[in-house]
Amino acid sequence: MNPDLARLAPEALWKHFAALSAIPRPSKHEERVVAWVRAIAQERGFPIDADATGNLVVRVPATPGHEAARPVVLQSHLDMVCEKNAGTVHDFFRDPIRLVVDGEWVRAEGTTLGADNGIGVAAALASATDPAGPHGPLELLFTLDEETGLTGAQQLDARLVRGRTLLNLDSEEDGKIFVGCAGGADCAIELNLERTSPGRDLRPFKLSAKGLVGGHSGLEIIDNRGNAIRLVVRTLLAAVDRGVQFELGSLSGGSKHNAIPREADAELWLDTGAEASLAQVTESMLAG
């Protein structure tokens, strides 16, 4: 366990989060994290049930004196958004997340952290395994493939859940309870483009936006964070408006539909005079 992480409280929560972060868990590939949850439950003698989709419920008995309490379902999802910076070498199917304690924050080195929803998974397991925490009967519900379509939750066999009070641990603000949320939609756009080879006298040029904060497209979308794709496109449109002549080779950026893009690139072909003009446009965009 990361020694810096070991100093954080509550200890049980961060111990589980550190162990979880070492397990690759892309959406639709949660086999190893499912096995990890099962091992924790079996070690403590907690009964486990699963449905045909692979969603799990770990049934945790009440601590002494709380047997008459109403059962509570603690729900979280086991997969994570897998995104990394362009210069980061990381295989999300093999490598652990590299955790860094940065002041009051826990971050990942060059990749997404996986706290969505790893911190919820860790909180549920800590509630069930920390001897210092009294509780009534618990049902720890772990669903699959949340990040790419809510597949686990949509295909959940309702018979798996017996409790009538459920707390979804996939929220981001302390002290608040959410009773609903906005939906989402995927769109596919097809364009018939005429492709040509660049002119002989043109030189390759790359326009890039990097180092942005990014964030979750559901939560941080209202924070006016920079979207790398939009910034690159706005710069290109400004260049067109100012008469800069260029040919577009490619435009790419982002990799997940629910993450604000942190990086984007446009590959261009320009003549020598246009390079200076495009540089002026870029500087003016940076100046705001």
Side-chain angles (χ1 to χ4, degrees):
M1 183 175 177
N2 184 318
D4 292 331
L5 214 63
R7 295 197 298 267
L8 301 181
E11 180 181 353
L13 181 142
W14 292 108
K15 179 179 178 181
H16 284 302
F17 184 75
L20 176 62
S21 299
I23 304 170
R25 56 189 199 282
S27 301
K28 304 184 188 300
H29 298 275
E30 300 97 335
E31 299 85 0
R32 283 166 286 188
V33 69
V34 166
W36 175 71
V37 170
R38 283 183 172 275
I40 293 174
Q42 291 167 354
E43 180 183 352
R44 290 162 175 78
F46 298 155
I48 309 167
D49 289 322
D51 62 14
T53 301
N55 300 305
L56 293 179
V57 164
V58 176
R59 306 193 189 280
V60 182
T63 53
H66 299 272
E67 295 84 356
R70 177 181 299 179
V72 174
V73 183
L74 301 179
Q75 190 266 325
S76 55
H77 65 84
L78 294 174
D79 61 320
M80 64 172 283
V81 173
C82 297
E83 191 172 73
K84 63 185 181 70
N85 293 335
T88 298
V89 178
H90 188 95
D91 185 345
F92 282 104
F93 288 91
R94 299 180 58 184
D95 300 335
I97 301 298
R98 297 186 291 271
L99 302 177
V100 177
V101 178
D102 180 11
E104 296 182 347
W105 295 92
V106 175
R107 306 185 187 278
E109 187 179 321
T111 69
T112 42
L113 176 61
D116 177 8
N117 187 219
I119 200 66
V121 173
L125 291 171
S127 298
T129 60
D130 187 351
H135 57 78
L138 298 176
E139 296 179 24
L140 311 185
L141 172 59
F142 301 104
T143 57
L144 306 182
D145 191 27
E146 193 268 356
E147 298 293 356
T148 60
L150 292 166
T151 306
Q154 288 184 350
Q155 299 180 0
L156 174 67
D157 186 339
R159 294 171 296 181
L160 198 64
V161 180
R162 300 172 186 169
R164 307 308 300 168
T165 300
L166 184 148
L167 298 179
N168 182 292
L169 303 182
D170 189 15
S171 60
E172 292 86 2
E173 295 188 38
D174 293 337
K176 293 186 178 180
I177 296 178
F178 293 85
V179 296
C181 67
D186 293 334
C187 298
I189 301 173
E190 296 185 6
L191 301 175
N192 294 320
L193 301 177
E194 180 182 350
R195 299 181 181 273
T196 61
S197 299
R200 289 187 177 182
D201 296 331
L202 302 182
R203 298 174 56 186
F205 189 92
K206 179 181 282 189
L207 178 66
S208 301
K210 298 182 183 297
L212 302 182
V213 175
H216 194 289
S217 63
L219 181 68
E220 283 94 10
I221 200 68
I222 64 172
D223 292 341
N224 199 30
R225 296 186 178 184
N227 179 315
I229 297 174
R230 298 183 68 176
L231 292 174
V232 168
V233 170
R234 285 174 180 172
T235 302
L236 294 178
L237 292 175
V240 171
D241 289 342
R242 299 186 191 184
V244 179
Q245 299 295 316
F246 64 86
E247 296 180 9
L248 180 63
S250 68
L251 174 65
S252 61
S255 61
K256 297 294 182 296
H257 74 285
N258 56 354
I260 301 171
R262 293 177 293 177
E263 300 178 343
D265 297 305
E267 295 183 349
L268 312 174
W269 293 88
L270 315 141
D271 62 32
T272 303
E275 289 185 19
S277 299
L278 181 59
Q280 292 176 356
V281 172
T282 303
E283 290 175 3
S284 66
M285 295 293 290
L286 290 173

